Amino acid sequence: MLLTYSAGKKNKMHISIDGEYRFTVDADFWYSLGIYQNTELSEAELAALEEQIGVRRAFNKGMDCLARRAHSKKELVEKISKTSEKKYAIIAVDLLEQRGYADDAAFAEQYYGYLQRVKHFGKRRIAAELARKGIGKDIIASLEQEDESEPVEEIKALLAGKFAAKLGDEKARQRTFNALVRLGYGYSDIREAMRAYETEEIFDEG
């Protein structure tokens, strides 16, 4: 099989096999392969070239994703797989990790802080969200150990802010209790925080 190529727009190279268009790749990558014009390829060599190009495309897609925001490895594989074969996505993400672009530990630390400060999630919900992103149990456990926040104080802050107008009667308090459970706070911490908050409110009113 005869491989030929021609330059396209925006640093692109168009690759043809036996006169029929087959691939488009970026010129820098193409020239790095060292393949000459009018090269004869075997079936095995063409298959190897297809894999290299597939991984390159997947790698570039991963870099585009990371340029927008941090991602976990699982997220990257899922996003890249929308436009590339999954086997190429997996290889590309491994390369991204090897080169320091993808880092589950760094992503998890950043995402943990976001969920805690912005979403006001409790540890249970944060752990569940991190697991959903593909973060390993060891990384989650390490972050939980480093977390020195006080859940009761966090809940009291939510009661004084977000839920301040939702404690008027027993049904409203129960709905608030359930909402706090969904945010990932423990039953005992919620009860303690609600009792403390209501006591403080009484003294403040007095």
Side-chain angles (χ1 to χ4, degrees):
M1 291 174 289
L2 184 68
L3 180 149
T4 56
Y5 57 86
S6 60
K9 296 179 180 179
K10 297 182 178 179
N11 199 41
K12 298 296 184 183
M13 299 297 294
H14 303 305
I15 317 304
S16 297
I17 302 295
D18 291 335
E20 293 186 6
Y21 167 78
R22 196 68 171 265
F23 318 106
T24 293
V25 297
D26 60 278
D28 293 338
F29 169 70
W30 179 248
Y31 288 124
S32 75
L33 297 177
I35 300 176
Y36 296 103
Q37 188 75 273
N38 298 313
T39 294
E40 286 285 347
L41 297 179
S42 66
E43 289 283 354
E45 288 171 332
L46 178 58
L49 177 60
E50 287 179 332
E51 179 172 325
Q52 286 179 294
I53 291 173
V55 171
R56 175 67 174 191
R57 287 175 174 168
F59 183 91
N60 287 344
K61 176 65 175 178
M63 289 294 289
D64 287 343
C65 290
L66 290 168
R68 294 182 179 91
R69 68 167 178 83
H71 289 74
S72 67
K73 289 174 61 182
K74 180 183 177 183
E75 279 186 307
L76 285 172
V77 169
E78 290 173 348
K79 288 196 172 184
I80 295 170
S81 295
K82 292 178 180 179
T83 54
S84 299
E85 290 187 44
K86 188 170 184 178
K87 63 180 180 180
Y88 297 150
I90 292 171
I91 295 171
V93 171
D94 285 342
L95 288 172
L96 287 165
E97 182 179 35
Q98 291 169 20
R99 297 178 187 182
Y101 297 117
D103 185 334
D104 269 358
F107 166 80
E109 182 177 5
Q110 179 181 336
Y111 196 50
Y112 193 107
Y114 167 77
L115 294 176
Q116 188 175 61
R117 293 190 303 272
V118 179
K119 293 293 188 178
H120 304 293
F121 287 173
K123 289 183 180 181
R124 293 179 184 179
R125 179 70 182 274
I126 293 174
E129 292 296 324
L130 288 173
R132 191 171 63 83
K133 297 286 188 181
I135 304 303
K137 293 181 180 179
D138 55 337
I139 294 177
I140 296 173
S142 176
L143 289 171
E144 288 179 330
Q145 288 177 355
E146 295 173 4
D147 184 354
E148 298 180 351
S149 62
E150 295 292 338
V152 172
E153 294 304 315
E154 290 179 357
I155 297 167
K156 284 167 64 178
L158 287 170
L159 294 174
K162 180 177 181 179
F163 297 107
K166 301 178 181 179
L167 299 168
D169 55 38
E170 187 56 36
K171 286 186 178 180
R173 286 193 290 273
Q174 185 60 51
R175 285 195 293 271
T176 296
F177 187 97
N178 294 338
L180 289 165
V181 171
R182 289 193 295 273
L183 285 175
Y185 295 100
Y187 294 153
S188 60
D189 288 334
I190 297 171
R191 292 192 184 97
E192 180 180 345
M194 292 185 83
R195 283 196 298 268
Y197 177 76
E198 289 170 358
T199 299
E200 290 171 7
E201 283 289 290
I202 291 172
F203 281 113
D204 287 344
E205 290 174 3

